[in-house]
Amino acid sequence: MRFETLSVFPDLFAPYLETSIMGRAQARGIFEFESYDLRDWTHDRHRTVDDAPFGGGQGMLMKPAPIFEAVRDISKRHPARPHVVFFTPCGRRYDESVAERLSHEERVLLVCGRYEGMDERAYELADERISLGDYVLTGGELAALVVIDSVVRLLPGALGDEMSARDESFSDELLEYAQYTRPSEYEGRGVPEVLLSGDHAAVAAWRRRNAVERTALWRPDLLDGAELTEEERALARAVIESSGEGGAK
Ligand code: SAM
């Protein structure tokens, strides 16, 4: 899979993407990455990418011309047409299902805004607009890193253990169960006995129940999309009723 970014800060990406799991995945050819500097598609001495908004208002907006030229030019540089993503708080909320869908693309171009955002006409180039959540970042570069990281870890071979991406929060619309490691007692805090039992079926049953309870407690909104047995639905209802308003810790 190939990721490309278009940004006025093209050097922000490499330190993260060359480290740890992302670095190893790149070295093993699981994904390729290239960042482009939007200013390379400007034609004035100051390499200007922004201008004041029509109608007045605070701040500057990214001009349409460099973005149009850049996306058209970059698109032609590789045989596969890129799936073009623009980052904006006005986009579709990013979640694991979007990551899963993007992981099947051959080539993804991530266009990062800055300043007060972009001239609206530039979004015509977008196959989709993505928002990380209901807050405002200073730029789209962090959003691009979040997307690349969350998609790459879904690619075959990216994580050492093929099972680990599938077993995590959101993979089945439930949060992940609680996990513990050594020591089995820390300053008087123990771990659930069943996890030390060596009984795999009992461990799996405890984990499933714990995932349902935690999801009901912290993210009851996810339960509508989860496949639960009648017994699990009853458990979730009981947790929600007993937790009350703001009961989650
Ligand atoms: N004026 C814009 C608004 O109110 O919608 C915010 C612009 S923001 C300061 C600059 C850039 O950061 C945006 O163009 C976008 O690329 C990125 N950005 C900010 N918040 C984001 C979010 N929640 N999700 C994705 N990208 C975001």
Side-chain angles (χ1 to χ4, degrees):
M1 178 168 190
R2 181 174 173 82
F3 279 106
E4 288 154 305
T5 51
L6 179 61
S7 154
V8 289
F9 293 108
D11 299 333
L12 280 179
F13 305 97
Y16 187 85
L17 295 176
E18 286 171 7
T19 303
S20 182
I21 288 175
M22 295 298 119
R24 285 197 293 276
Q26 266 198 89
R28 298 214 305 267
I30 289 166
F31 81 103
E32 287 172 18
F33 174 72
E34 189 156 0
S35 66
Y36 296 100
D37 185 346
L38 182 64
R39 294 187 198 280
D40 289 345
W41 285 272
T42 57
H43 306 287
D44 63 310
R45 198 157 54 91
H46 301 291
R47 294 165 44 96
T48 311
V49 294
D50 60 331
D51 206 337
F54 284 129
Q58 292 290 315
M60 301 291 270
L61 277 183
M62 296 176 83
K63 292 151 65 73
I67 302 171
F68 269 92
E69 286 185 36
V71 171
R72 285 174 180 153
D73 187 20
I74 292 165
S75 297
K76 286 186 276 186
R77 293 186 181 195
H78 286 270
R81 181 195 172 277
H83 181 79
V84 181
V85 172
F86 275 51
F87 291 112
T88 161
C90 306
R92 182 208 159 147
R93 178 86 70 91
Y94 191 65
D95 64 18
E96 190 72 8
S97 71
V98 182
E100 166 65 31
R101 175 167 53 74
L102 290 178
S103 73
H104 299 290
E105 295 287 344
E106 195 174 330
R107 184 180 175 205
V108 177
L109 172 60
L110 303 166
V111 183
C112 307
R114 277 270 157 178
Y115 318 113
E116 283 309 311
M118 292 177 185
D119 183 295
E120 189 65 26
R121 291 166 291 185
Y123 292 106
E124 197 186 294
L125 297 159
D127 291 307
E128 62 181 315
R129 307 179 194 198
I130 287 180
S131 166
L132 279 201
D134 293 344
Y135 46 83
V136 180
L137 300 164
T138 53
E141 292 80 6
L142 277 176
L145 284 172
V146 167
V147 166
I148 296 170
D149 184 298
S150 54
V151 170
V152 166
R153 65 200 310 289
L154 296 175
L155 299 177
L159 304 178
D161 171 3
E162 283 307 313
M163 288 307 290
S164 41
R166 263 180 267 142
D167 209 20
E168 284 174 316
S169 297
F170 313 114
S171 54
D172 56 3
E173 303 294 335
L174 292 176
L175 300 182
E176 190 183 57
Y177 44 80
Q179 302 229 59
Y180 302 85
T181 185
R182 274 179 278 273
S184 57
E185 183 161 323
Y186 176 68
E187 293 183 346
R189 302 170 186 89
V191 307
E193 245 348 276
V194 63
L195 300 181
L196 309 174
S197 69
D199 179 340
H200 297 304
V203 168
W206 182 89
R207 287 180 166 167
R208 174 76 188 178
R209 187 181 164 88
N210 186 257
V212 172
E213 286 173 342
R214 284 152 65 95
T215 309
L217 192 60
W218 294 322
R219 291 294 306 276
D221 56 299
L222 293 176
L223 291 171
D224 286 344
E227 275 188 37
L228 300 182
T229 63
E230 273 311 306
E231 197 185 325
E232 288 171 339
R233 289 238 167 257
L235 170 64
R237 273 196 301 276
V239 170
I240 291 167
E241 277 159 26
S242 67
S243 70
E245 279 290 302
K249 194 171 136 193

